[in-house]
Amino acid sequence: MNTASRYLYLVLGAVISFHYILSFTHQEYGRITSLNNIASHFRDETKTPAFVDQNLVPLKYYAPSNSWNETAPGRRANAAFVILCRNSDLLRILGSIREIEDRFNRRYNYPYVLLNEVEFTDDFKRRVSVITSAKMEFGLIPHDHWFQPDWIDEDKATQARKKMISQSIIYGGSISYRNMCRFNSGFFFKHDLVKKYRWYWRIEPNVHFHCDINFDPFVYMEEHKKIYGFTITMYEYEETITTLWKHVKDFVDLHPEFVAEDNALDFLSDDGGTTYNLCHFWSNFEIADMNFWRGTAYTAFFDYLESQGGFYYERWGDAPVHSIAAALFASKDQIQFFDEIGYEHHPYTHCPQDEETWRRGMCTCEREQSFDLDSYSCTNKWDKIIGR
């Protein structure tokens, strides 16, 4: 072999060796940096994500490091998501759960309780259970908690529904809607599957969460002694609650001891309580302490309203019922406006108004289109009474 040939083989050997070393190093570097990238997304321990090889990273799951409103890393509240839905809501509830998982619960793993007035189908339970590793429980609502009580005067109730239909009031002719409002007002927190929890976050079919929620609202409320959290406020249809405020005042006259000293009456009334201005917290989103609903004041309040039959003789909603109770029987600083939670229930959206909050939450909503800015919103009244 001549000198030129030897030189050529030496060069080729060096190139092949260098390529092998470089390839091995690149593979190892890619594996290591991929692990570092995964680990950098987590901070406080909860559980191991399903997509992480337990042999390559610590058996921990961490909350995000960019949280701007952090509460007690690693701590959990005795809480659950509570969902009232039907088998026909399957696709819409899948979307809602997938969004709250992506925006919040994949890091916290709170359980879900789904309730229905009929049994959930096996297919419904299978489809819902596979989209999250969180615990899922499916419950049947007791007959007496859902259906119209026997003592309701059906002729009177029928006339009320016909009148609302003639006035083109939404759900004016619906008995099932009234059942739902009554159930959400006085019974959901008594369900056997819900009893073991103190805190709940109400989730509806086909709702959207527009921002990352990088803190735990349950723990925040527990630590700050809150009892009720909301994102959207608005005015109620007056025709659906024509006698509700009268009954509220009658109840307060009977039980003045339940009214909190530093209450939020000014959110509900512009004349010191003589009339109701129709403002309420939109209850399709609410995070609340069920000890408040289970307490003496609210129990007596609901029982009194129930005895008046207004859930069926009119169309009392759980939103004004919850709102009036929280505003009167708790102090106003126990009610929390979650501005940082971007939320949509068609056709209304709340979008965080603070630039930093909107940016850090990686929000997909437009602040200029937030319902807070609408003339039908009561957010300005809330801001005024708490001095924002």
Side-chain angles (χ1 to χ4, degrees):
M1 183 181 292
N2 59 33
T3 302
S5 297
R6 262 197 316 271
Y7 178 75
L8 178 60
Y9 278 112
L10 285 172
V11 170
L12 287 172
V15 169
I16 291 170
S17 298
F18 180 74
H19 181 266
Y20 174 79
I21 293 169
L22 182 63
S23 174
F24 177 81
T25 304
H26 178 72
Q27 290 171 6
E28 287 299 293
Y29 176 78
R31 184 175 70 85
I32 293 168
T33 54
S34 293
L35 294 176
N36 287 338
N37 286 338
I38 290 171
S40 70
H41 283 78
F42 310 112
R43 197 159 59 81
D44 290 316
E45 109 180 29
T46 57
K47 72 182 188 92
T48 305
F51 59 84
V52 174
D53 187 334
Q54 297 184 19
N55 296 315
L56 298 179
V57 297
L59 303 180
K60 313 291 182 187
Y61 190 55
Y62 296 93
S65 59
N66 66 342
S67 174
W68 72 98
N69 188 15
E70 206 166 36
T71 58
R75 186 180 160 197
R76 294 294 175 270
N78 179 20
F81 297 101
V82 176
I83 300 174
L84 177 63
C85 62
R86 291 171 168 163
N87 290 301
S88 58
D89 291 321
L90 175 60
L91 295 180
R92 300 190 303 151
I93 206 61
L94 285 174
S96 298
I97 295 175
R98 186 65 265 162
E99 289 201 27
I100 195 61
E101 284 291 311
D102 291 343
R103 289 298 198 172
F104 170 72
N105 202 46
R106 64 186 174 85
R107 298 184 291 274
Y108 294 91
N109 208 43
Y110 280 108
Y112 292 80
V113 176
L114 291 88
L115 303 175
N116 192 350
E117 82 257 32
V118 300
E119 293 282 0
F120 285 107
T121 65
D122 289 341
D123 182 62
F124 184 100
K125 290 186 280 189
R126 179 183 62 84
R127 293 281 302 279
V128 171
S129 297
V130 299
I131 63 172
T132 173
S133 61
K135 181 180 180 180
M136 288 272 180
E137 294 185 281
F138 302 88
L140 177 66
I141 298 170
H143 183 279
D144 291 347
H145 289 185
W146 183 260
F147 291 99
Q148 178 176 303
D150 293 339
W151 56 264
I152 290 290
D153 182 338
E154 179 52 32
D155 289 339
K156 181 177 178 180
T158 299
Q159 291 306 310
R161 293 195 299 272
K162 287 180 178 179
K163 181 179 179 181
M164 288 191 186
I165 292 171
S166 70
Q167 295 172 314
S168 300
I169 294 172
I170 188 170
Y171 306 121
S174 173
I175 297 176
S176 63
Y177 186 83
R178 289 169 168 81
N179 291 341
M180 178 193 71
C181 291
R182 174 176 172 265
F183 174 75
N184 281 330
S185 294
F187 295 101
F188 81 92
F189 48 87
K190 298 177 181 178
H191 193 280
D192 285 344
L193 293 181
V194 181
K195 282 180 181 178
K196 56 182 172 285
Y197 300 109
R198 175 174 175 179
W199 303 89
Y200 75 99
W201 184 332
R202 178 170 160 181
I203 303 287
E204 295 277 319
N206 200 33
V207 297
H208 303 287
F209 294 91
H210 287 290
C211 307
D212 282 354
I213 304 167
N214 294 313
F215 70 106
D216 187 333
F218 293 124
V219 172
Y220 176 86
M221 292 185 68
E222 190 167 56
E223 291 191 334
H224 292 81
K225 296 179 171 53
K226 307 289 185 177
I227 60 100
Y228 192 87
F230 70 96
T231 57
I232 293 176
T233 70
M234 62 177 59
Y235 294 96
E236 181 61 290
Y237 293 101
E238 187 170 12
E239 294 83 359
T240 66
I241 54 166
T242 53
T243 68
L244 177 60
W245 192 249
K246 172 192 177 299
H247 292 303
V248 169
K249 292 196 294 182
D250 289 345
F251 177 80
V252 168
D253 287 342
L254 290 171
H255 295 285
E257 71 275 14
F258 293 147
V259 179
E261 278 190 34
D262 190 23
N263 60 62
L265 174 63
D266 289 344
F267 175 68
L268 305 174
S269 176
D270 300 326
D271 53 18
T274 301
T275 60
Y276 179 32
N277 63 18
L278 307 178
C279 283
H280 65 279
F281 310 121
W282 210 29
S283 62
N284 51 67
F285 173 102
E286 58 185 11
I287 303 173
D289 183 352
M290 287 185 284
N291 282 355
F292 180 73
W293 306 137
R294 296 164 180 152
T296 303
Y298 187 80
T299 298
F301 180 63
F302 173 77
D303 288 347
Y304 182 85
L305 295 183
E306 169 87 327
S307 71
Q308 306 306 312
F311 291 104
Y312 295 97
Y313 299 146
E314 296 179 19
R315 203 218 66 187
W316 295 351
D318 54 277
V321 171
H322 281 185
S323 301
I324 290 169
L328 293 182
F329 308 142
S331 60
K332 62 188 177 186
D333 62 2
Q334 290 181 290
I335 300 173
Q336 177 67 28
F337 173 39
F338 281 116
D339 178 55
E340 56 271 74
I341 299 179
Y343 171 76
E344 177 183 348
H345 185 293
H346 185 77
Y348 304 119
T349 299
H350 164 71
C351 192
Q353 293 300 291
D354 177 70
E355 166 71 24
E356 180 70 1
T357 301
W358 182 84
R359 183 182 67 81
R360 296 288 288 274
M362 295 186 286
C363 300
T364 57
C365 53
E366 296 189 37
R367 287 179 293 155
E368 298 79 7
Q369 295 181 6
S370 182
F371 183 69
D372 303 4
L373 308 176
D374 193 282
S375 60
Y376 201 64
S377 170
C378 293
T379 303
N380 61 334
K381 290 183 181 294
W382 181 255
D383 289 345
K384 184 178 179 180
I385 74 163
I386 64 169
R388 284 185 61 185

PDB file of all heavy atoms in Angstrom, residues 193-204:
ATOM      1  N   LEU A 193     -71.989  11.641  47.727  1.00  0.00           N
ATOM      2  CA  LEU A 193     -70.650  11.708  47.145  1.00  0.00           C
ATOM      3  C   LEU A 193     -69.967  13.046  47.405  1.00  0.00           C
ATOM      4  O   LEU A 193     -68.741  13.152  47.303  1.00  0.00           O
ATOM      5  CB  LEU A 193     -70.716  11.462  45.627  1.00  0.00           C
ATOM      6  CG  LEU A 193     -71.132  10.067  45.177  1.00  0.00           C
ATOM      7  CD1 LEU A 193     -71.131   9.989  43.658  1.00  0.00           C
ATOM      8  CD2 LEU A 193     -70.228   9.002  45.777  1.00  0.00           C
ATOM      9  N   VAL A 194     -70.747  14.053  47.745  1.00  0.00           N
ATOM     10  CA  VAL A 194     -70.209  15.400  47.945  1.00  0.00           C
ATOM     11  C   VAL A 194     -69.968  15.694  49.428  1.00  0.00           C
ATOM     12  O   VAL A 194     -69.132  16.537  49.770  1.00  0.00           O
ATOM     13  CB  VAL A 194     -71.161  16.450  47.329  1.00  0.00           C
ATOM     14  CG1 VAL A 194     -70.624  17.866  47.486  1.00  0.00           C
ATOM     15  CG2 VAL A 194     -71.392  16.155  45.844  1.00  0.00           C
ATOM     16  N   LYS A 195     -70.660  14.987  50.292  1.00  0.00           N
ATOM     17  CA  LYS A 195     -70.614  15.271  51.730  1.00  0.00           C
ATOM     18  C   LYS A 195     -69.208  15.274  52.305  1.00  0.00           C
ATOM     19  O   LYS A 195     -68.909  16.011  53.245  1.00  0.00           O
ATOM     20  CB  LYS A 195     -71.453  14.245  52.505  1.00  0.00           C
ATOM     21  CG  LYS A 195     -72.943  14.483  52.467  1.00  0.00           C
ATOM     22  CD  LYS A 195     -73.638  13.384  53.274  1.00  0.00           C
ATOM     23  CE  LYS A 195     -75.140  13.547  53.270  1.00  0.00           C
ATOM     24  NZ  LYS A 195     -75.810  12.448  54.018  1.00  0.00           N
ATOM     25  N   LYS A 196     -68.333  14.443  51.762  1.00  0.00           N
ATOM     26  CA  LYS A 196     -66.993  14.302  52.348  1.00  0.00           C
ATOM     27  C   LYS A 196     -66.076  15.477  52.016  1.00  0.00           C
ATOM     28  O   LYS A 196     -64.970  15.587  52.570  1.00  0.00           O
ATOM     29  CB  LYS A 196     -66.340  13.007  51.876  1.00  0.00           C
ATOM     30  CG  LYS A 196     -66.232  12.846  50.366  1.00  0.00           C
ATOM     31  CD  LYS A 196     -65.602  11.483  50.045  1.00  0.00           C
ATOM     32  CE  LYS A 196     -65.638  11.166  48.547  1.00  0.00           C
ATOM     33  NZ  LYS A 196     -66.997  10.780  48.119  1.00  0.00           N
ATOM     34  N   TYR A 197     -66.518  16.351  51.127  1.00  0.00           N
ATOM     35  CA  TYR A 197     -65.699  17.502  50.749  1.00  0.00           C
ATOM     36  C   TYR A 197     -66.204  18.780  51.411  1.00  0.00           C
ATOM     37  O   TYR A 197     -67.400  18.941  51.649  1.00  0.00           O
ATOM     38  CB  TYR A 197     -65.718  17.692  49.228  1.00  0.00           C
ATOM     39  CG  TYR A 197     -65.171  16.497  48.475  1.00  0.00           C
ATOM     40  CD1 TYR A 197     -66.024  15.669  47.733  1.00  0.00           C
ATOM     41  CD2 TYR A 197     -63.818  16.183  48.513  1.00  0.00           C
ATOM     42  CE1 TYR A 197     -65.529  14.567  47.046  1.00  0.00           C
ATOM     43  CE2 TYR A 197     -63.317  15.089  47.830  1.00  0.00           C
ATOM     44  CZ  TYR A 197     -64.178  14.289  47.100  1.00  0.00           C
ATOM     45  OH  TYR A 197     -63.684  13.196  46.429  1.00  0.00           O
ATOM     46  N   ARG A 198     -65.268  19.704  51.638  1.00  0.00           N
ATOM     47  CA  ARG A 198     -65.653  21.008  52.164  1.00  0.00           C
ATOM     48  C   ARG A 198     -65.785  22.039  51.044  1.00  0.00           C
ATOM     49  O   ARG A 198     -66.698  22.847  51.055  1.00  0.00           O
ATOM     50  CB  ARG A 198     -64.622  21.495  53.185  1.00  0.00           C
ATOM     51  CG  ARG A 198     -64.908  22.903  53.674  1.00  0.00           C
ATOM     52  CD  ARG A 198     -63.985  23.342  54.784  1.00  0.00           C
ATOM     53  NE  ARG A 198     -64.249  24.746  55.125  1.00  0.00           N
ATOM     54  CZ  ARG A 198     -63.609  25.417  56.068  1.00  0.00           C
ATOM     55  NH1 ARG A 198     -62.663  24.820  56.781  1.00  0.00           N
ATOM     56  NH2 ARG A 198     -63.893  26.676  56.314  1.00  0.00           N
ATOM     57  N   TRP A 199     -64.868  22.006  50.096  1.00  0.00           N
ATOM     58  CA  TRP A 199     -64.825  23.012  49.034  1.00  0.00           C
ATOM     59  C   TRP A 199     -65.256  22.406  47.710  1.00  0.00           C
ATOM     60  O   TRP A 199     -64.998  21.232  47.445  1.00  0.00           O
ATOM     61  CB  TRP A 199     -63.404  23.576  48.883  1.00  0.00           C
ATOM     62  CG  TRP A 199     -62.867  24.171  50.143  1.00  0.00           C
ATOM     63  CD1 TRP A 199     -62.167  23.532  51.135  1.00  0.00           C
ATOM     64  CD2 TRP A 199     -63.002  25.525  50.571  1.00  0.00           C
ATOM     65  NE1 TRP A 199     -61.860  24.404  52.137  1.00  0.00           N
ATOM     66  CE2 TRP A 199     -62.358  25.641  51.827  1.00  0.00           C
ATOM     67  CE3 TRP A 199     -63.603  26.665  50.019  1.00  0.00           C
ATOM     68  CZ2 TRP A 199     -62.288  26.825  52.530  1.00  0.00           C
ATOM     69  CZ3 TRP A 199     -63.541  27.853  50.710  1.00  0.00           C
ATOM     70  CH2 TRP A 199     -62.891  27.927  51.960  1.00  0.00           C
ATOM     71  N   TYR A 200     -65.887  23.201  46.872  1.00  0.00           N
ATOM     72  CA  TYR A 200     -66.241  22.730  45.528  1.00  0.00           C
ATOM     73  C   TYR A 200     -65.997  23.832  44.509  1.00  0.00           C
ATOM     74  O   TYR A 200     -66.009  25.023  44.815  1.00  0.00           O
ATOM     75  CB  TYR A 200     -67.714  22.290  45.453  1.00  0.00           C
ATOM     76  CG  TYR A 200     -68.689  23.448  45.433  1.00  0.00           C
ATOM     77  CD1 TYR A 200     -69.245  23.899  44.228  1.00  0.00           C
ATOM     78  CD2 TYR A 200     -69.041  24.107  46.604  1.00  0.00           C
ATOM     79  CE1 TYR A 200     -70.132  24.973  44.211  1.00  0.00           C
ATOM     80  CE2 TYR A 200     -69.920  25.178  46.593  1.00  0.00           C
ATOM     81  CZ  TYR A 200     -70.457  25.607  45.397  1.00  0.00           C
ATOM     82  OH  TYR A 200     -71.322  26.680  45.383  1.00  0.00           O
ATOM     83  N   TRP A 201     -65.765  23.384  43.301  1.00  0.00           N
ATOM     84  CA  TRP A 201     -65.627  24.271  42.132  1.00  0.00           C
ATOM     85  C   TRP A 201     -66.643  23.755  41.132  1.00  0.00           C
ATOM     86  O   TRP A 201     -66.560  22.637  40.659  1.00  0.00           O
ATOM     87  CB  TRP A 201     -64.214  24.162  41.590  1.00  0.00           C
ATOM     88  CG  TRP A 201     -63.872  25.067  40.441  1.00  0.00           C
ATOM     89  CD1 TRP A 201     -64.692  25.588  39.495  1.00  0.00           C
ATOM     90  CD2 TRP A 201     -62.549  25.535  40.126  1.00  0.00           C
ATOM     91  NE1 TRP A 201     -63.985  26.347  38.602  1.00  0.00           N
ATOM     92  CE2 TRP A 201     -62.658  26.334  38.974  1.00  0.00           C
ATOM     93  CE3 TRP A 201     -61.294  25.346  40.703  1.00  0.00           C
ATOM     94  CZ2 TRP A 201     -61.543  26.947  38.381  1.00  0.00           C
ATOM     95  CZ3 TRP A 201     -60.192  25.955  40.112  1.00  0.00           C
ATOM     96  CH2 TRP A 201     -60.332  26.751  38.974  1.00  0.00           C
ATOM     97  N   ARG A 202     -67.612  24.573  40.811  1.00  0.00           N
ATOM     98  CA  ARG A 202     -68.679  24.150  39.901  1.00  0.00           C
ATOM     99  C   ARG A 202     -68.211  24.276  38.458  1.00  0.00           C
ATOM    100  O   ARG A 202     -67.727  25.326  38.024  1.00  0.00           O
ATOM    101  CB  ARG A 202     -69.925  25.004  40.133  1.00  0.00           C
ATOM    102  CG  ARG A 202     -71.093  24.664  39.201  1.00  0.00           C
ATOM    103  CD  ARG A 202     -72.339  25.375  39.669  1.00  0.00           C
ATOM    104  NE  ARG A 202     -73.340  25.482  38.624  1.00  0.00           N
ATOM    105  CZ  ARG A 202     -74.519  26.092  38.778  1.00  0.00           C
ATOM    106  NH1 ARG A 202     -74.841  26.612  39.956  1.00  0.00           N
ATOM    107  NH2 ARG A 202     -75.373  26.174  37.778  1.00  0.00           N
ATOM    108  N   ILE A 203     -68.365  23.193  37.708  1.00  0.00           N
ATOM    109  CA  ILE A 203     -67.998  23.140  36.291  1.00  0.00           C
ATOM    110  C   ILE A 203     -69.248  22.798  35.486  1.00  0.00           C
ATOM    111  O   ILE A 203     -70.000  21.888  35.844  1.00  0.00           O
ATOM    112  CB  ILE A 203     -66.913  22.083  36.027  1.00  0.00           C
ATOM    113  CG1 ILE A 203     -65.660  22.340  36.874  1.00  0.00           C
ATOM    114  CG2 ILE A 203     -66.570  22.031  34.541  1.00  0.00           C
ATOM    115  CD1 ILE A 203     -64.827  23.507  36.449  1.00  0.00           C
ATOM    116  N   GLU A 204     -69.459  23.514  34.403  1.00  0.00           N
ATOM    117  CA  GLU A 204     -70.616  23.298  33.531  1.00  0.00           C
ATOM    118  C   GLU A 204     -70.184  22.686  32.205  1.00  0.00           C
ATOM    119  O   GLU A 204     -69.017  22.821  31.796  1.00  0.00           O
ATOM    120  CB  GLU A 204     -71.298  24.646  33.248  1.00  0.00           C
ATOM    121  CG  GLU A 204     -71.899  25.322  34.454  1.00  0.00           C
ATOM    122  CD  GLU A 204     -73.279  24.787  34.774  1.00  0.00           C
ATOM    123  OE1 GLU A 204     -74.070  24.554  33.846  1.00  0.00           O
ATOM    124  OE2 GLU A 204     -73.565  24.602  35.964  1.00  0.00           O
TER     125      GLU A 204
END
